[in-house]
Amino acid sequence: NGTLFNYFATKQDLIDGVYFCIKEKMASETMSKIDLKSGMKQIFFDVWKAYLDWAHLHPLEHQVVDLLNTSQMLSDEAKKAGENTFSAVYEIMQKGIEDNILMDAPVHYLCEVASAHLRATISYAQSNGFNQADLNDLIETSFDIYWNGIQKT
């Protein structure tokens, strides 16, 4: 069975464990920079920037989480646990919908749109060799595109 199985009973436990470990680290580092008392748009921008900065600084971890998210290999429990690491964001989105700041759409759908947009942004930055200054400009542009798409007009 190998050494890894001294720590993980099954391959599924290993995959789920790696995913959750990275996701928890990502959420912790990202959310620690957010002032949840700021206005809705500022909170969203701060999460957006912190996530993209994290992905830029941790390309391998970001790639692993992204691959596992799209691989169909994660258990339902691991997916749910991963979502729970960003529960504050889900709550803020729900409040934004209830307060008529955000479009009336399912929170999970708005998060899926954000995930796709974030993946596209980091992929574009990586494939074009962006430095931090270039990335900061791209973060502003990508956030404006996302925010203008989800805010209620």
Side-chain angles (χ1 to χ4, degrees):
N1 261 342
T3 309
L4 283 176
F5 292 102
N6 290 334
Y7 302 98
F8 300 97
T10 66
K11 183 167 56 169
Q12 186 65 57
D13 290 345
L14 171 62
I15 292 168
D16 289 351
V18 167
Y19 171 78
F20 185 72
C21 179
I22 296 171
K23 190 81 172 189
E24 195 173 41
K25 178 181 171 189
M26 175 192 353
S28 174
E29 291 180 24
T30 300
M31 295 305 292
S32 70
K33 300 173 182 174
I34 310 306
D35 179 4
L36 297 175
K37 292 183 179 15
S38 297
M40 179 83 48
K41 184 175 181 181
Q42 188 63 50
I43 292 170
F44 272 74
F45 177 76
D46 291 345
V47 171
W48 193 267
K49 181 172 180 8
Y51 178 88
L52 289 170
D53 285 342
W54 183 89
H56 185 71
L57 292 170
H58 303 91
L60 181 59
E61 290 94 332
H62 179 264
Q63 184 179 18
V64 169
V65 167
D66 192 42
L67 287 171
L68 289 174
N69 270 328
T70 58
S71 71
Q72 308 278 327
M73 293 178 67
L74 292 173
S75 69
D76 290 340
E77 295 80 19
K79 288 179 192 176
K80 186 70 175 163
E83 286 177 8
N84 287 341
T85 61
F86 283 96
S87 62
V89 174
Y90 289 104
E91 291 168 13
I92 292 165
M93 283 186 137
Q94 187 60 49
K95 182 164 177 23
I97 293 166
E98 291 166 4
D99 293 347
N100 288 316
I101 296 170
L102 302 179
M103 292 179 66
D104 188 10
V107 169
H108 281 18
Y109 175 70
L110 295 177
C111 289
E112 285 294 324
V113 171
S115 292
H117 198 137
L118 288 163
R119 277 194 309 277
T121 302
I122 199 62
S123 174
Y124 184 80
Q126 288 173 341
S127 65
N128 287 287
F130 277 28
N131 61 29
Q132 192 62 49
D134 294 333
L135 180 63
N136 287 338
D137 291 341
L138 183 62
I139 288 169
E140 294 270 349
T141 300
S142 66
F143 177 75
D144 287 344
I145 292 168
Y146 178 69
W147 181 256
N148 290 331
I150 66 164
Q151 73 175 334
K152 199 164 205 171
T153 56

